[in-house]
Amino acid sequence: MKPVRPARPVLVVIAHGSRDPRHAATVHALVERVRAERPGLRVETGFLDFNIPSVHGVLESLAAEGVREVVALPLLLTRAFHAKADIPAVLREAPARLRIRQADVLGPSPLLLAALERRLYEAGLTPAGKSSTGVVLASAGSTDPEAIAVIAEIAREWRHTGWCAVRPAFASASLPRTEDAVRELRALGCARVAVAPYVLAPGFLPDRIARGAAGADVLADVLGPAPEVARLLLERYDAARAPMLAAVGA
């Protein structure tokens, strides 16, 4: 008889949540794309705040069903307060019968840069126009110095792929603001200025980014359910799952 392979850990995607209904709708669309990318993998969604089901509720339900292995994946682009404090605190309150491994946050990753470019091209740019286009990499912002440094490094890395210039900007907590970065790129002499929101779903801060992009030529959409983002979720799941498989000799 063939040995019975252990069930794949359930992927629990942990989103922040928002009062804006577009946020949850976008998260669910992304999760549906993840399911389509890997049929047979069970994927659940839990929210830290504002939306249901809560992370705690999802974990309680899984434990009641008899699930034993879970990969908890923060739907976050940087490793800031939510990844370092909020999510670990919620996971510590999970039912003891669950074996949970927290996956890494999504960023940084070449797949996110590919998703950003996809959104810019969907908004009207072309690869031929890269060298004359300045891009504002507009993130939500954070008080965490590590997160801010990561955004700045992504902007530097992205600049070397052929753009006229790339400048980071932040919707809250940090400077510069999107509108300031747009003006700086104009002053540099870039023929076009585009704003690429480095955010996953619509909401209050993405709306602030959009207002700050009023002086730009192009405003891209949020990353949302871009195929590159879905593939990245699965990469993070696989990386977190590997030690769990090794522990059971799979």
Side-chain angles (χ1 to χ4, degrees):
M1 294 179 60
K2 291 183 179 180
V4 177
R5 294 180 63 84
R8 283 187 285 188
V10 173
L11 171 57
V12 176
V13 176
I14 300 178
H16 183 273
S18 172
R19 292 187 179 90
D20 189 322
R22 297 173 298 167
H23 175 91
T26 302
V27 170
H28 289 310
L30 173 58
V31 169
E32 283 302 318
R33 187 177 282 275
V34 172
R35 292 187 180 119
E37 287 275 338
R38 189 169 296 180
L41 173 62
R42 182 172 178 181
V43 188
E44 302 291 343
T45 308
F47 295 91
L48 290 172
D49 206 354
F50 303 115
N51 302 107
I52 55 172
S54 67
V55 178
H56 182 73
V58 169
L59 296 175
E60 289 278 357
S61 295
L62 290 174
E65 289 178 30
V67 170
R68 292 294 178 265
E69 307 278 352
V70 170
V71 170
L73 195 158
L75 198 60
L76 301 168
L77 295 174
T78 58
R79 191 172 177 274
F81 183 79
H82 293 305
K84 294 177 179 179
D86 285 351
I87 291 175
V90 171
L91 297 182
R92 283 194 295 270
E93 296 174 357
R97 70 188 68 179
L98 288 178
R99 182 166 172 250
I100 303 175
R101 187 169 183 88
Q102 182 176 330
D104 288 339
V105 297
L106 299 181
S109 167
L111 284 170
L112 290 175
L113 291 181
L116 286 165
E117 295 207 359
R118 170 188 292 275
R119 293 303 190 220
L120 286 169
Y121 296 148
E122 289 171 349
L125 293 181
T126 65
K130 279 185 88 168
S131 63
S132 59
T133 302
V135 180
V136 178
L137 179 68
S139 76
S142 174
T143 57
D144 189 306
E146 178 186 348
I148 297 303
V150 167
I151 298 300
E153 179 58 31
I154 292 170
R156 285 191 291 270
E157 177 184 341
W158 203 17
R159 162 68 182 85
H160 294 306
T161 66
W163 297 102
C164 173
V166 179
R167 294 291 185 271
F170 306 94
S172 68
S174 306
L175 296 174
R177 295 286 183 254
T178 302
E179 52 269 34
D180 299 326
V182 168
R183 284 193 291 268
E184 181 183 352
L185 291 172
R186 291 278 188 220
L188 282 174
C190 298
R192 284 176 303 279
V193 175
V195 174
Y198 191 62
V199 293
L200 286 164
F204 175 76
L205 293 178
D207 283 349
R208 182 178 288 178
I209 289 171
R211 290 192 297 272
D217 301 295
V218 172
L219 170 63
D221 199 359
V222 298
L223 294 170
E228 295 86 357
V229 179
R231 289 198 292 274
L232 180 55
L233 262 69
L234 290 170
E235 278 192 6
R236 296 292 188 253
Y237 169 81
D238 290 336
R241 179 189 177 215
M244 303 173 83
L245 292 175
V248 296

